[in-house]
Amino acid sequence: MKAAHDFGKWGAMVDVTIRGAGIFGLSIAWACVARGARVRVIDPGGVGAGASGGLVGALAPHTPERWNDKKALQFESLERAEMFWAEVRETGGHDPHYARTGRIQPVGALDLATERGRNAEELWQGRYDWRVVPVENFAPFAPLTTSGLVIHDTLTARVHPRKATQALAAALRARGVEVVPDGREEGAVIHATGVAGLEALNTDQEARVGTPVKGQAALLEFDARDAPQIFVDGLHVVPHGDGTTAIGSTTEIEFTDPARCDGGLDDILGRIIRLVPALRDITVLERWAGLRPRARSRAPMLGGWPDRPGQFIANGGFKIGFGMAPVVAEMMADLVLEGRDTIPETFRVAASLPKSRR
């Protein structure tokens, strides 16, 4: 391994310190350990204390059209996910409840849906389908649709966010990694601290690099564990492997209390009950609200912290953090351990800075 930094000097016991035990921080730790690095993860809130401790866990692709870096890397990451989570489960003995169960969504414009299906054959390299099929194929767990048709894609997968982060932490501990609430920073330092990290960058750069966005979700007592998830009216309905089903989420730029479940959640619960009849009269087991980090670029924000040598940033996962984690982890390990910068321009920290500061 070609080190990008002289990690061994001053007798340091750790090559890489990662601040943040959410999905980005834990996944990067996993990639670094796989390359032989000594890693410490620090998070005063514990594993999955922020946005990664939510309920939904949809690993869903963007539409197969207008291909760009973000969509290409997301496809690569979704492909890697099966092996990634299998290794985590085998190493730590905890099940992240990963499964590629697919997704259905009502057809809007039939011509557009069909064209996207043709695009998927090329862009998804013939490995996964995006097809228009009768909704009755998935009854009774299916959305209402005026056309009687849904798009079925076989690329979409799921994890249970809390079980997945706990599984990663268990796998890291099995490999000798400390996951602790406090500790000394040694070696390279990667800040994967979500909303708090964005706010620190905003202060450091005296500019809005990113913003917190409130999301609300709910967990239902409904067992559809083998069924495809549903995407309808901008909402995800994700059956989990433990016999629960998650719905979410809101996207709230303005809010009073980031941790309070309020009318926004009531609204999506009402919409889902109307749109997915199988969920009527189902018990709500849990309500969740929290802040998710959205970078100014709307893509993950990765790379060196400007003007802070040896300090790095992995942030901005927003709604696609779990889906992007396997490939984000490898790109950060490339950069920090080997000095190889494989990060696309649209994912760099500079992409979220005002032009005057790039």
Side-chain angles (χ1 to χ4, degrees):
M1 179 178 69
K2 178 184 176 183
H5 303 276
D6 186 4
F7 293 128
K9 65 182 178 181
W10 305 311
M13 298 299 293
V14 171
D15 301 322
V16 181
T17 300
I18 297 175
R19 286 204 166 273
I23 185 60
F24 273 8
L26 295 171
S27 298
I28 294 166
W30 182 247
C32 289
V33 166
R35 302 189 192 196
R38 298 166 298 176
V39 180
R40 176 182 294 132
V41 180
I42 301 172
D43 195 319
V47 173
S52 297
L55 302 172
V56 180
L59 311 186
H62 287 90
T63 54
E65 61 184 348
R66 296 191 294 274
W67 213 233
N68 55 31
D69 287 342
K70 185 177 181 180
K71 290 186 177 185
L73 281 175
Q74 185 192 47
F75 174 76
E76 179 183 345
S77 195
L78 292 174
E79 281 233 286
R80 291 186 186 186
E82 186 169 2
M83 182 176 295
F84 178 94
W85 290 111
E87 290 175 349
V88 167
R89 183 181 64 247
E90 182 178 352
T91 302
H94 288 235
D95 189 353
H97 286 216
Y98 171 87
R100 180 172 281 129
T101 49
R103 173 183 62 174
I104 58 175
Q105 54 187 308
V107 171
L110 181 58
D111 289 348
L112 180 58
T114 304
E115 175 64 23
R116 287 171 173 169
R118 289 192 288 267
N119 291 341
E121 293 178 9
E122 176 187 354
L123 299 173
W124 292 356
Q125 302 169 22
R127 300 190 183 107
Y128 309 96
D129 296 328
W130 173 289
R131 291 184 178 173
V132 176
V133 297
V135 69
E136 62 191 29
N137 291 5
F138 303 97
F141 186 61
L144 294 176
T145 168
T146 55
S147 68
L149 300 171
V150 291
I151 298 160
H152 179 216
D153 87 72
T154 59
L155 175 56
T156 296
R158 60 134 198 261
V159 292
H160 190 301
R162 294 175 187 172
K163 297 180 188 298
T165 50
Q166 291 293 339
L168 260 173
L172 287 166
R173 292 187 180 108
R175 296 289 299 272
V177 175
E178 293 181 313
V179 183
V180 294
D182 197 9
R184 188 173 63 164
E185 292 182 354
E186 297 181 277
V189 180
I190 301 173
H191 299 267
T193 49
V195 168
L198 282 186
E199 295 292 9
L201 271 167
N202 290 339
T203 299
D204 187 66
Q205 298 299 310
E206 298 180 340
R208 296 301 295 179
V209 173
T211 188
V213 178
K214 182 178 178 180
Q216 299 187 63
L219 196 66
L220 308 181
E221 188 178 27
F222 185 82
D223 191 345
R225 68 186 70 192
D226 298 322
Q229 60 190 263
I230 297 170
F231 184 66
V232 58
D233 198 24
L235 300 175
H236 296 276
V237 184
V238 182
H240 285 307
D242 63 356
T244 62
T245 294
I247 65 164
S249 61
T250 63
T251 299
E252 303 172 50
I253 305 299
E254 297 181 0
F255 48 85
T256 303
D257 185 345
R260 181 174 178 268
C261 294
D262 51 34
L265 183 54
D266 293 335
D267 174 66
I268 65 173
L269 279 167
R271 285 159 56 198
I272 284 297
I273 288 170
R274 292 193 301 272
L275 294 167
V276 185
L279 297 179
R280 289 174 183 161
D281 304 318
I282 298 300
T283 300
V284 177
L285 298 174
E286 182 180 350
R287 297 167 180 251
W288 178 88
L291 297 180
R292 297 162 298 178
R294 186 172 71 185
R296 189 168 179 264
S297 67
R298 303 296 181 96
M301 183 169 54
L302 312 173
W305 190 308
D307 304 318
R308 292 194 187 185
Q311 305 269 318
F312 300 86
I313 296 163
N315 210 317
F318 191 43
K319 292 185 177 183
I320 60 172
F322 279 88
M324 294 294 296
V327 75
V328 163
E330 293 299 328
M331 289 191 294
M332 290 302 295
D334 285 343
L335 179 64
V336 174
L337 298 180
E338 303 183 20
R340 291 191 299 117
D341 189 345
T342 57
I343 301 168
E345 292 294 330
T346 52
F347 283 53
R348 295 180 185 277
V349 176
S352 290
L353 295 175
K355 290 183 180 180
S356 61
R357 294 180 177 271
R358 295 179 188 177

